[in-house]
Amino acid sequence: MALHSMRKTRECWSFIRALHKGPEAAPVPQAQTWRETGVEEFQTEKDAVRRVFSGIQPTGIPHLGNYLGAIESWVSLQDEPGSVLYSVVDLHSITVPQDPAVLRQSVLDMTAALLACGINPEKSTLFQQSQVPEHTQLSWILTCMVRLPRLQHLHQWKAKTARQKHDGTVGLLTYPVLQAADILLYKSTHVPVGEDQVQHMELVQDLARGFNKKYGEFFPEPKSILTSMKKVKSLRDPSAKMSKSDPDKLATVRITDSPEEIVQKFRKAVTDFTSEVTYDPASRPGVSNLVAIHSAVSGLPVEEVVRQGAGIDTARYKLLVADAVIEKFAPIKSELEKLKLDKDHVEKVLQAGSAKAKELAYPVCQEVKKLVGLL
């Protein structure tokens, strides 16, 4: 499944245009597998892919869900013609309290992790969000265009404030607008997102349309790209997604976990009382989560993974999946350990990427200011 998805990804993204090119677009093959905002098939010809943006918060070490749900596809996109921008979005992380020293180190740790996973600054622009001030300038302009109820009705705002007993900050309320600015600032046309971000992408699209209606055509209306890999579930609660903040340390597999830790976590993974290995997410979510992980890290279709699991009870199958994850993460973990010893290199990568991003962002922001009347 994962291998098939990656092949289709390469077909799709081989038509990305360079970021500095004009509005003309390369022809796009008629058959595509990317799904836009849930229902529409990937558009051809006039809506050809040209610019891609995505970001990740520097909060904790990336886990298996981060890798399979986003980072792995980021890596594959770099090998195709065109431009991609990846940002360590540190401004988003301060919507909740952060220790300054820890945050500074987390930015470097996340950058190192992305490099270890295969993000290549010679093929993509990897930068620190806060070092490009145009993000916040555009965010304020867009904030003045959105109505308060629209933000209050976003699902994630409701969920997060409920967990915080309605003590959420204004930053937590308005961060989707900053997210919109992150995307529109580079005139991005496509954004790889998880299913939980589709509603936020609808806000981005609405803001682009609203700006264009008021000031004339300027921003492309970016489209969501939903990857074929569904959310990786918690090993301890298959009804919830795997999360960095899960208080149960056995629930989440991080890319820095030792082989012993990975084995322990999979050994303790919640399944059910049936020993057979099958794939049925509705009735057997725990075992199905293991099968989905095994399929993704091995590059084999789910059907083949289930066939390999025939005659193996779930206890033994957990160890099989753990071994596959250990094998997948071994080279990443080795590279990450080297990068952590070369802090200067990581800092230089961020500095160079941020300078490159600013070169792209500055003229767009200046033009927005002129359109709005600030210049």
Side-chain angles (χ1 to χ4, degrees):
M1 177 184 291
L3 182 58
H4 177 74
S5 176
M6 286 298 102
R7 285 172 178 165
K8 289 297 184 181
T9 302
R10 293 189 184 98
E11 293 172 10
C12 175
W13 291 101
S14 63
F15 295 88
I16 299 177
R17 281 290 199 183
L19 192 56
H20 291 295
K21 292 255 180 123
E24 73 278 10
V28 179
Q30 296 300 307
Q32 301 290 353
T33 59
W34 288 117
R35 294 179 294 119
E36 294 171 9
T37 16
V39 293
E40 300 176 345
E41 291 297 324
F42 185 84
Q43 298 293 311
T44 59
E45 297 180 0
K46 67 174 183 175
D47 287 358
V49 182
R50 292 193 297 270
R51 301 175 185 177
V52 184
F53 176 93
S54 197
I56 188 168
Q57 290 193 39
T59 49
I61 298 297
H63 56 66
L64 183 61
N66 298 140
Y67 180 78
L68 297 176
I71 299 174
E72 188 175 42
S73 65
W74 288 11
V75 173
S76 70
L77 298 182
Q78 299 177 117
D79 296 325
E80 307 302 335
S83 296
V84 287
L85 295 97
Y86 300 134
S87 181
V88 179
V89 287
D90 50 344
L91 291 172
H92 287 287
S93 66
I94 62 172
T95 56
V96 295
Q98 300 286 340
D99 179 280
V102 172
L103 178 58
R104 277 190 287 270
Q105 186 59 48
S106 294
V107 169
L108 296 177
D109 289 345
M110 179 57 73
T111 303
L114 293 174
L115 294 172
C117 287
I119 298 301
N120 185 343
E122 294 183 0
K123 297 179 179 180
S124 59
T125 301
L126 176 60
F127 69 100
Q128 184 177 351
Q129 177 196 32
S130 63
Q131 299 308 302
V132 184
E134 286 77 12
H135 283 257
T136 51
Q137 293 176 30
L138 180 57
S139 178
W140 177 249
I141 292 171
L142 297 177
T143 298
C144 294
M145 296 178 59
V146 65
R147 300 293 181 181
L148 181 60
R150 178 66 192 278
L151 300 180
Q152 291 173 322
H153 282 103
L154 291 174
H155 173 72
Q156 287 204 16
W157 164 252
K158 292 180 179 179
K160 290 179 178 180
T161 53
R163 287 197 299 268
Q164 296 179 21
K165 298 181 180 179
H166 301 283
D167 195 31
T169 65
V170 174
L172 187 61
L173 174 68
T174 61
Y175 95 87
V177 185
L178 176 58
Q179 190 177 59
D182 296 337
I183 295 164
L184 298 178
L185 184 59
Y186 301 97
K187 293 194 169 182
S188 310
T189 57
H190 288 76
V191 184
V193 296
E195 291 179 322
D196 58 343
Q197 289 292 319
V198 168
Q199 196 179 42
H200 287 185
M201 275 302 298
E202 291 172 353
L203 174 65
V204 178
Q205 293 162 346
D206 287 347
L207 284 169
R209 281 193 294 266
F211 187 94
N212 292 344
K213 183 178 180 180
K214 187 171 184 177
Y215 299 107
E217 287 298 318
F218 185 74
F219 290 121
E221 188 178 320
K223 295 177 172 61
S224 298
I225 299 172
L226 302 180
T227 61
S228 60
M229 181 64 199
K230 300 294 184 181
K231 294 178 187 175
V232 175
K233 304 298 185 180
S234 161
L235 295 184
R236 300 293 292 165
D237 177 9
S239 68
K241 71 176 183 178
M242 188 172 286
S243 171
K244 298 174 188 175
S245 59
D246 197 313
D248 189 338
K249 301 304 179 185
L250 296 175
T252 303
V253 178
R254 291 171 173 77
I255 64 173
T256 53
D257 284 348
S258 68
E260 294 76 18
E261 289 172 324
I262 293 175
V263 168
Q264 180 191 26
K265 290 178 179 182
F266 276 98
R267 195 190 298 273
K268 297 290 186 179
V270 170
T271 51
D272 52 37
F273 296 106
T274 303
S275 62
E276 184 182 4
V277 176
T278 62
Y279 184 73
D280 185 355
S283 61
R284 303 192 70 197
V287 173
S288 298
N289 187 40
L290 296 179
V291 170
I293 291 171
H294 191 189
S295 171
V297 299
S298 66
L300 297 172
V302 165
E303 296 77 12
E304 175 61 20
V305 167
V306 172
R307 189 191 66 78
Q308 290 184 5
I312 301 176
D313 61 33
T314 52
R316 289 168 57 199
Y317 184 67
K318 289 177 182 180
L319 300 181
L320 184 65
V321 179
D323 285 342
V325 172
I326 290 168
E327 182 179 356
K328 185 74 172 181
F329 281 170
I332 295 173
K333 191 168 180 287
S334 175
E335 182 63 20
L336 182 55
E337 289 171 354
K338 295 177 185 177
L339 286 167
K340 283 189 174 182
L341 298 175
D342 194 355
K343 180 180 176 181
D344 288 346
H345 172 68
V346 176
E347 289 178 337
K348 287 177 181 177
V349 166
L350 276 183
Q351 290 167 2
S354 298
K356 188 176 175 182
K358 186 172 177 59
E359 287 180 2
L360 300 172
Y362 179 79
V364 175
C365 193
Q366 290 296 101
E367 187 61 29
V368 168
K369 290 178 181 178
K370 289 177 183 176
L371 290 170
V372 173
L374 299 176
L375 288 179

